Amino acid sequence: MLALYGHPFSSYTWKALIALYANDIAFEFRMVDADHPENGEFVQSAGPLGKFPVLLDGEKVIFEATSIVEYLAQHHGGGGVLLPDDPGAALGMRMLDRVFDNYVMNSMQPVVEEYIRDPANPDMARIQEVRERLTRTYRWLEAWLEHYPPMDRVTLIECAAAPSLFYADWVHPIGKEFPRLKRWRAHLLALPPVKRCIDDARPYRGNFPPGAPDRD
Ligand SMILES: N[C@@H](CCC(=O)N[C@@H](CS)C(=O)NCC(=O)O)C(=O)O
């Protein structure tokens, strides 16, 4: 039986959960929180900075959400959908996966950090930089979406896009000048594996440092 270490409110945990749910892969969820110190200890021992999610398959430990999705594609079904067998098509998906991690998720992280550092007095210049980076990324995605219509299947792209766009829109709402991106985000949020993550995370929304909006 697989075990996934993570937290229901963690965007990177969602990325792995979406792949697991979409492929009906049985696993045990091991919560990383103060009530389960043994899970936190395991996570600390897995990767260099003790980040989650971490997947345990027998003796095998896999960390980094992208690697977990790739591992599931290789060993637990996915049938060429999570990641295509064709190397060229797979490379295209990996490139998009990097876009969502590096330019969406990582771009918005400083806002979360600012509200943790000093909730009453965040550095507005730093936040403005985030807004500019995200706007630029949204513009790129809007153009990319011209050739990527919303689909019901779940690939590495949907696993990476859904959590990153879910939270990025909370930090810097996707404007109406990006209609395809707005529509795609709504489509992703309605996919059953994504919806399940959103619903399971609802009790933790109060923990979002910049404050969670009353929607989604
Ligand atoms: N590059 C990692 C990032 C994972 C990550 O940042 N996880 C966050 C939760 S969403 C975490 O572990 N936070 C706790 C910490 O940094 O100590 C991945 O793709 O899995």
Side-chain angles (χ1 to χ4, degrees):
M1 169 75 98
L2 296 175
L4 185 78
Y5 293 76
H7 190 280
F9 198 53
S10 136
S11 50
Y12 283 104
T13 302
W14 285 19
K15 190 166 161 179
L17 284 172
I18 292 165
L20 287 160
Y21 292 152
N23 291 283
D24 282 324
I25 301 168
F27 69 102
E28 181 187 322
F29 189 71
R30 298 196 179 151
M31 182 87 136
V32 178
D33 66 4
D35 293 334
H36 304 86
E38 69 287 5
N39 294 344
E41 277 161 31
F42 178 78
V43 163
Q44 289 302 322
S45 72
L49 293 186
K51 299 214 178 254
F52 46 87
V54 178
L55 185 76
L56 181 63
D57 186 6
E59 301 277 287
K60 224 175 275 173
V61 176
I62 299 104
F63 61 91
E64 287 295 310
T66 301
S67 303
I68 293 173
V69 175
E70 293 219 23
Y71 181 83
L72 295 174
Q74 282 175 15
H75 298 278
H76 294 273
V81 175
L82 268 180
L83 198 63
D85 297 327
D86 173 66
L91 185 142
M93 276 197 188
R94 290 189 178 104
M95 187 171 77
L96 262 296
D97 173 69
R98 298 297 78 224
V99 169
F100 291 109
D101 275 18
N102 292 331
Y103 308 130
V104 181
M105 208 91 98
N106 289 354
S107 284
M108 71 173 179
Q109 192 55 31
V111 174
V112 174
E113 286 165 12
E114 278 306 312
Y115 280 92
I116 292 172
R117 187 187 60 80
D118 189 349
N121 192 26
D123 179 343
M124 293 316 285
R126 200 169 174 217
I127 290 175
Q128 185 53 28
E129 274 172 33
V130 167
R131 292 189 183 287
E132 285 161 18
R133 267 204 305 275
L134 281 175
T135 299
R136 204 169 153 186
T137 305
Y138 292 168
R139 188 171 302 119
W140 187 91
L141 287 168
E142 180 71 13
W144 170 74
L145 281 168
E146 199 180 336
H147 309 287
Y148 194 84
M151 282 177 273
D152 288 339
R153 64 178 194 179
V154 167
T155 72
L156 176 61
I157 291 180
E158 283 72 23
C159 292
S164 61
L165 290 173
F166 178 84
Y167 285 109
D169 185 66
W170 279 13
V171 161
H172 180 53
I174 299 166
K176 53 183 181 311
E177 66 272 38
F178 306 121
R180 280 190 287 260
L181 185 57
K182 243 178 140 52
R183 259 197 316 275
W184 191 48
R185 179 180 181 274
H187 168 81
L188 291 170
L189 269 46
L191 292 173
V194 179
K195 191 170 178 325
R196 190 166 166 187
C197 291
I198 294 171
D199 288 339
D200 288 348
R202 284 187 198 284
Y204 305 97
R205 284 188 177 198
N207 299 345
F208 192 59
D214 191 15
R215 58 184 166 85
D216 296 326

